[in-house]
Amino acid sequence: MRFAKKLVPIALLSCLILTGIPLISLAQADPLQPGEVAVGTVFENLFIYTPLQHDIVSHVLTLGFAAQAAGLVYFLATLNNVAPRFRLSSVLSAVVMSSAFLELFQIFQNWNSSFVFSDGVYQLGQTAFSNGYRYMNWSIDVPMLLLQLVVVLGIARKQAVSYGTQFIIGGLLMIWTGYIGQFYEVTNLAPFWIWGAISTVFYVYVLFVVGQLINRTAGDLPRDPDNLPKAMRFVFWFVLVTWTIYPIAYLMPVLWPTAWGAVTRQVLYTIADITSKVIYGVILSYIARKQSQAIGYEAAIATARR
Ligand code: RET
């Protein structure tokens, strides 16, 4: 076991060195000549889009950031409906909403400025599109989303710190190893697969810890009248399904390497962003409000339907 523990950093380091070499050569690529198009390392930049395809992405991206803005208003406006001990969950949702709003707005602008309309189609202009911004946003949002579970389940401090640490470390390693992998999506599929696989190991670990936390503690939630243990178990499956859309989007360059594949990838990201951040937050705020009613918190009771 101790030997196995040592193997992990050694394996990671070897992968880093192995894949670092092509990354350096990418960075040293020849400078662009006048009139040349910057194709770079990003799947979306390889294609020419019809106005229909270009507009679908542009429109769907507006849905993405508008939903985060709407979510921000919802979480702030309903903050006082939950007891103070669960309130941090809504605050964390609001943090997720603001950072996602900024990032998705930036991606939207990036998409519209990267492709220029000429001869009836949209082609890459002087700037390049990149999904890398998404990974930076996840670095904030994934730890926040996971910490919300710890808050809503109301577990003891020692346990909360232990789960919180596993979530933050596991989540960040999942994102950052995937971030390295996505640089190779069109240039070198070996490191793309290797880093994707390493990231998946951390993803499975995070899911395992989420499942363990919910399994151990959901039974303590009030059963009457709203069956909160069942609602909390639903949250696990909801996380599993909505989070898994992200690795599918990661794989798009191998699954569907066409302009429609690139359009679908942005649609998938948007579905994942709305469900895993906004809808997830709404479900947790519902559970927090029901728990607040159960402990006799007046403002929560006042919101109950008769
Ligand atoms: C990557 C790389 C390929 C392998 C796996 C991935 C998982 C990504 C996930 C992202 C979740 C993001 C969320 C963001 C919310 O703000 C990194 C794409 C498994 C699960 C929930």
Side-chain angles (χ1 to χ4, degrees):
M1 191 61 200
R2 288 184 63 160
F3 177 68
K5 272 189 183 161
K6 277 188 193 147
L7 260 184
V8 176
I10 294 173
L12 274 175
L13 200 67
S14 330
C15 290
L16 194 68
I17 294 166
L18 272 175
T19 56
I21 297 163
L23 194 60
I24 291 166
S25 58
L26 276 180
Q28 291 173 337
D30 289 340
L32 281 184
Q33 299 305 312
E36 214 179 348
V37 164
V39 170
T41 57
V42 180
F43 174 59
E44 281 79 354
N45 295 339
L46 299 180
F47 306 107
I48 288 171
Y49 298 93
T50 64
L52 174 78
Q53 290 169 328
H54 182 272
D55 285 0
I56 291 176
V57 173
S58 187
H59 298 161
V60 162
L61 290 175
T62 65
L63 175 65
F65 68 77
Q68 311 297 320
L72 181 63
V73 173
Y74 171 83
F75 293 116
L76 293 180
T78 55
L79 206 55
N80 289 329
N81 294 351
V82 294
R85 75 158 81 149
F86 305 119
R87 212 167 275 167
L88 187 58
S89 172
S90 295
V91 173
L92 291 175
S93 269
V95 170
V96 167
M97 296 299 105
S98 2
S99 85
F101 173 83
L102 290 173
E103 177 260 335
L104 292 172
F105 187 65
Q106 141 75 20
I107 292 250
F108 164 74
Q109 285 183 314
N110 187 206
W111 176 262
N112 285 314
S113 61
S114 298
F115 297 96
V116 283
F117 188 66
S118 83
D119 297 332
V121 288
Y122 281 89
Q123 331 194 12
L124 196 65
Q126 291 305 310
T127 46
F129 179 74
S130 172
N131 286 300
Y133 304 106
R134 294 186 179 276
Y135 290 72
M136 297 303 117
N137 166 253
W138 301 344
S139 305
I140 299 173
D141 288 359
V142 164
M144 299 299 125
L145 293 170
L146 293 169
L147 288 179
Q148 278 182 269
L149 284 177
V150 173
V151 173
V152 169
L153 283 164
I155 54 180
R157 180 189 296 256
K158 209 172 148 210
Q159 257 191 322
V161 171
S162 159
Y163 277 110
T165 316
Q166 296 182 70
F167 284 155
I168 294 173
I169 295 178
L172 289 179
L173 286 172
M174 171 188 85
I175 296 159
W176 294 342
T177 50
Y179 177 66
I180 302 176
Q182 56 90 41
F183 278 111
Y184 299 100
E185 64 184 15
V186 293
T187 54
N188 188 351
L189 285 185
F192 171 77
W193 281 112
I194 295 172
W195 284 107
I198 298 173
S199 170
T200 306
V201 173
F202 292 116
Y203 178 43
V204 172
Y205 169 75
V206 167
L207 282 178
F208 175 78
V209 181
V210 169
Q212 193 185 44
L213 169 66
I214 292 181
N215 236 337
R216 284 190 183 157
T217 51
D220 302 335
L221 298 180
R223 212 164 287 271
D224 277 332
D226 298 296
N227 202 347
L228 294 188
K230 191 173 166 205
M232 205 64 220
R233 290 202 180 92
F234 170 77
V235 169
F236 172 76
W237 295 108
F238 188 80
V239 168
L240 179 82
V241 171
T242 58
W243 285 37
T244 300
I245 302 173
Y246 290 102
I248 296 173
Y250 176 93
L251 288 176
M252 229 46 193
V254 288
L255 293 179
W256 194 0
T258 66
W260 277 114
V263 172
T264 306
R265 188 195 224 186
Q266 295 305 315
V267 173
L268 285 176
Y269 274 136
T270 307
I271 296 173
D273 284 337
I274 296 177
T275 51
S276 75
K277 302 178 214 254
V278 188
I279 313 248
Y280 169 83
V282 172
I283 298 172
L284 288 192
S285 82
Y286 165 84
I287 296 176
R289 188 160 50 85
K290 291 294 167 189
Q291 289 219 73
S292 308
Q293 287 169 3
I295 60 168
Y297 185 68
E298 278 303 325
I301 294 169
T303 66
R305 281 175 196 278
R306 300 200 188 270

